[in-house]
Amino acid sequence: MLHKRQYVIGLSAIAIANAVNLLPAYFIRWTIDGLTGQVDGDPATPGLTLTVAGLYALGIIVAALIAGGFTLLMRRMIVVASRQSEYEVRRDIFAHLQTMDKAYYDRARTGDLMNRLTGDLGAVREMLGFGAWQIVNIVSGFVTAFAVMFSLSWQLTLIVIALIPVIVGILSYLAQQINVRHKAAQEQNSTIAAMAQENFSGARVVKGYAIEDREIANYREMNLELLRRNIALTKVDGPLRSFTTLLIGIAFGLILLVGGRLILYGGAGGAFTIGMLVQFLITVGRLTFPMMMIGWITGVTQRGLASWLRLRELLDAGAQIHDTPGRTDPTIRSLRGEVTFEHVTVKYGSATVLDDVNLHIPAGTFVGVTGPTGSGKTILMQLLTRSMDPSSGVVRIDGNDVRFIPLERLRDHISVVPQEPFLFSDTIANNIGFGIEARDLPVVPTGVTVVGLPPTPEIPQTPDPARIRNAARLAGLDGDIEGFPEGYETMLGERGVTLSGGQRQRTAIARAIVREPSILILDDSLSAVDTETERRILDGLREVSQGRTVILIAHRISTLRHADHIVVLDQGRVTEQGSHDELLAQGGHYAELERLQRLASDLDTDDEPVADPEDAADKLEDRLPLGAQEVKS
């Protein structure tokens, strides 16, 4: 336990405070017995002097001060420890989630993860703080109170004890119900959070299809289900306090009845006085709050345990892709960029996505990859970064199996521009420089207490402006940025929604370029830019490609034609490869793709009006291949 010392001090302090809190009842008893003459029965002497009464009053004040001091110490220990534990658990879970792979996030829901890191973690913190405090408060309060009550009257104490099995039995049943119903409510909270997150992220899609009313209705149904589950939880959580209050009222009534008889008829050897009855009642009264808290703490504990199990699910989840001790080679520190695929096959269940792919890419080569949609182009690149591992075969970089290269080292030398770039709600400069100056950052310790740790070194927040501007220039983005009112300090909306699609792609390209990686992968990342901007970006990529491997996935021939080597994938297999001219000469898929795109380009650029429909048909016929003209005729 990371905060053992704090909890030992804090829980000991509350036990001492509970014992000291019983002292005022003693002073009150002696005062009453002195006033009623039950301590000194001689009428010639005063039963209580003013000096003695003053000492009793001073004793009550001193006892209150001591108890208050220990209570303050307890709060400083336990409440602070619970907050520190909350920080540590949140830190460790977030750090653990950073190690999870693509397969995990394909299954996980963002809203659910956020709910666990907020609602569930809050319930655990409440259990560790106020819950732990009250558990010891209840236990120590009962122990000290029953010790005093037994010393006063065992008959009256038995009355109180008789009620405990009833309380425990009912509370055990209600606690089980609370656990089940709280977990159900938290799961529904996660579902609601996930839907809200998706709707906020996809707000433009919702509005574009004018389905706001449907989404509102779905959200309403989810909220009604949460309401039903919370009401079901309240039905077992609410009666706890009322039930405890009822039992305490019954106990007071029985104590007054039996205690009165002991005083009137001289029970307990005739030694039971009015002051002792008052002390007994005050002591039982001090148990009122702990007895009422039994129900509340039971609920807090059950909710905390249920939430902790949900958090443990996050901590216990393991990544399929990870460094393996004994297999990963920590001596690999640099990569040149030579890539080899040896008989690589990837299967999803019974479906084969890549089928026996063999491919060699020398270091420093500019390679283009194309093929029909679903041919496995993106999967091929994900194997390089170990977002996934092949079902069979080996992927090598510089002759090393990528499974032997430390993940951090592997990904530190590869930059990927995905098909759908993700931008952060930050400045353009920070988005471009997101991946630089990360190699020398201090490692954040996890699994340790925050107590006594040195301050975390300040993380650089301003990337090198010269590198940022150069990367923007190479990505063809510098002109757009200079047109923004705040230039590179322009704040972007969530996911970069304030930029156009082409600007988002170019920002992602600049972010990849600025890291100066050994291998640069662009996964259809020029699809949202016009031909002139594409030409500027390709010029920048040719400048960047000096001394590094560039893999460009694209569908447009204009994007691929200047690559050193072009690979064509179809149905998960490499069907063609060679230079642009070599592939045209082969007359395969690449040549057909080039012909169709050239035809489409000619039609788009030819804006000469044709009034006669037959002239328009003849013009289109001139552009059709010979075989198609023969069919038409």
Side-chain angles (χ1 to χ4, degrees), residues 353-390:
V353 182
L354 290 178
D355 186 10
D356 194 33
V357 172
N358 290 278
L359 181 63
H360 178 70
I361 302 174
T365 306
F366 193 136
V367 177
V369 180
T370 190
T373 301
S375 58
K377 302 183 296 297
T378 298
I379 299 296
L380 195 70
M381 297 304 104
Q382 288 178 350
L383 294 172
L384 272 181
T385 59
R386 282 202 75 197
S387 296
M388 59 189 305
D389 281 337

Side-chain angles (χ1 to χ4, degrees), residues 141-395:
F142 270 86
V143 170
T144 54
F146 274 107
V148 171
M149 288 190 294
F150 266 114
S151 69
L152 295 173
S153 171
W154 63 267
Q155 297 99 323
L156 297 180
T157 305
L158 290 178
I159 294 174
V160 179
I161 292 177
L163 298 174
I164 293 180
V166 181
I167 297 176
V168 172
I170 294 180
L171 289 183
S172 298
Y173 170 75
L174 293 178
Q176 181 183 8
Q177 295 299 313
I178 288 172
N179 190 359
V180 173
R181 300 187 186 192
H182 173 72
K183 184 177 181 180
Q186 285 298 95
E187 289 174 351
Q188 187 64 15
N189 260 321
S190 295
T191 301
I192 290 175
M195 180 186 179
Q197 187 270 336
E198 290 176 353
N199 264 262
F200 297 152
S201 300
R204 290 183 295 177
V205 177
V206 173
K207 290 183 176 297
Y209 283 85
I211 55 174
E212 294 94 338
D213 291 340
R214 190 187 73 183
E215 294 301 294
I216 292 172
N218 290 338
Y219 195 72
R220 172 180 174 275
E221 287 301 317
M222 290 184 178
N223 271 287
L224 286 175
E225 178 60 25
L226 177 62
L227 176 62
R228 285 190 287 267
R229 295 187 183 188
N230 279 327
I231 290 175
L233 176 60
T234 304
K235 287 179 179 178
V236 294
D237 196 10
L240 289 177
R241 179 169 296 189
S242 301
F243 172 73
T244 307
T245 304
L246 173 63
L247 292 180
I248 292 173
I250 294 173
F252 268 106
L254 293 175
I255 290 169
L256 286 173
L257 178 62
V258 177
R261 290 179 62 84
L262 291 176
I263 295 172
L264 292 174
Y265 300 111
F272 197 73
T273 66
I274 296 175
M276 294 171 69
L277 177 61
V278 172
Q279 182 186 2
F280 195 95
L281 289 170
I282 292 174
T283 305
V284 174
R286 290 203 60 81
L287 289 179
T288 301
F289 180 74
M291 289 182 71
M292 293 178 65
M293 291 304 294
I294 289 176
W296 189 85
I297 290 302
T298 301
V300 167
T301 304
Q302 291 300 319
R303 287 193 294 270
L305 290 174
S307 292
W308 175 242
L309 291 176
R310 283 166 52 82
L311 294 177
R312 284 301 317 179
E313 290 178 2
L314 299 184
L315 290 170
D316 293 340
Q320 298 177 12
I321 307 298
H322 54 81
D323 291 333
T324 304
R327 184 178 72 173
T328 303
D329 185 358
T331 63
I332 300 176
R333 299 188 176 277
S334 62
L335 300 175
R336 294 181 297 105
E338 179 185 5
V339 177
T340 305
F341 294 85
E342 298 178 357
H343 302 288
V344 171
T345 297
V346 175
K347 293 185 177 181
Y348 286 128
S350 59
T352 300
V353 182
L354 290 178
D355 186 10
D356 194 33
V357 172
N358 290 278
L359 181 63
H360 178 70
I361 302 174
T365 306
F366 193 136
V367 177
V369 180
T370 190
T373 301
S375 58
K377 302 183 296 297
T378 298
I379 299 296
L380 195 70
M381 297 304 104
Q382 288 178 350
L383 294 172
L384 272 181
T385 59
R386 282 202 75 197
S387 296
M388 59 189 305
D389 281 337
S391 304
S392 63
V394 179
V395 180

Side-chain angles (χ1 to χ4, degrees), residues 517-543:
S518 301
I519 301 174
L520 175 61
I521 301 173
L522 296 98
D523 188 357
D524 201 17
S525 53
L526 300 179
S527 59
V529 299
D530 56 66
T531 54
E532 175 59 26
T533 303
E534 178 188 66
R535 184 191 61 77
R536 291 174 55 199
I537 294 174
L538 290 174
D539 289 341
L541 288 177
R542 276 190 285 274
E543 182 178 336

Side-chain angles (χ1 to χ4, degrees), residues 401-605:
D401 188 332
V402 293
R403 291 171 292 189
F404 297 166
I405 304 173
L407 277 173
E408 182 178 2
R409 192 68 57 192
L410 172 68
R411 293 168 182 172
D412 192 37
H413 286 79
I414 301 176
S415 285
V416 180
V417 184
Q419 293 175 336
E420 299 178 1
F422 184 96
L423 301 182
F424 296 90
S425 301
D426 203 341
T427 64
I428 294 180
N430 286 341
N431 267 282
I432 295 175
F434 181 76
I436 63 176
E437 297 180 350
R439 299 176 184 176
D440 299 325
L441 292 180
V443 176
V444 177
T446 58
V448 297
T449 176
V450 69
V451 179
L453 280 181
T456 303
E458 186 176 351
I459 298 175
Q461 299 295 329
T462 306
D464 184 358
R467 290 178 64 180
I468 297 298
R469 286 183 168 82
N470 184 54
R473 177 185 65 81
L474 293 173
L477 186 64
D478 53 340
D480 297 65
I481 295 177
E482 291 169 0
F484 295 154
E486 298 181 35
Y488 285 87
E489 296 305 311
T490 300
M491 290 294 297
L492 303 184
E494 186 176 12
R495 295 175 179 265
V497 294
T498 51
L499 300 180
S500 67
Q503 289 171 336
R504 286 198 297 271
Q505 283 191 339
R506 282 177 282 158
T507 303
I509 293 172
R511 181 167 62 193
I513 291 173
V514 77
R515 298 179 68 224
E516 301 176 357
S518 301
I519 301 174
L520 175 61
I521 301 173
L522 296 98
D523 188 357
D524 201 17
S525 53
L526 300 179
S527 59
V529 299
D530 56 66
T531 54
E532 175 59 26
T533 303
E534 178 188 66
R535 184 191 61 77
R536 291 174 55 199
I537 294 174
L538 290 174
D539 289 341
L541 288 177
R542 276 190 285 274
E543 182 178 336
V544 169
S545 65
Q546 301 302 316
R548 59 176 48 90
T549 303
V550 178
I551 302 176
L552 176 62
I553 299 175
H555 291 280
R556 290 196 299 218
I557 298 300
S558 60
T559 307
L560 299 168
R561 64 185 307 138
H562 298 294
D564 300 327
H565 192 76
I566 301 171
V567 178
V568 180
L569 286 174
D570 191 8
Q571 296 182 354
R573 300 181 66 89
V574 176
T575 56
E576 304 172 51
Q577 57 179 311
S579 67
H580 173 74
D581 293 334
E582 290 172 347
L583 292 179
L584 290 181
Q586 290 180 20
H589 173 83
Y590 186 85
E592 179 67 10
L593 184 64
E594 193 274 342
R595 184 188 63 78
L596 292 175
Q597 291 184 8
R598 179 162 44 82
L599 176 62
S601 176
D602 290 344
L603 289 173
D604 289 338
T605 56

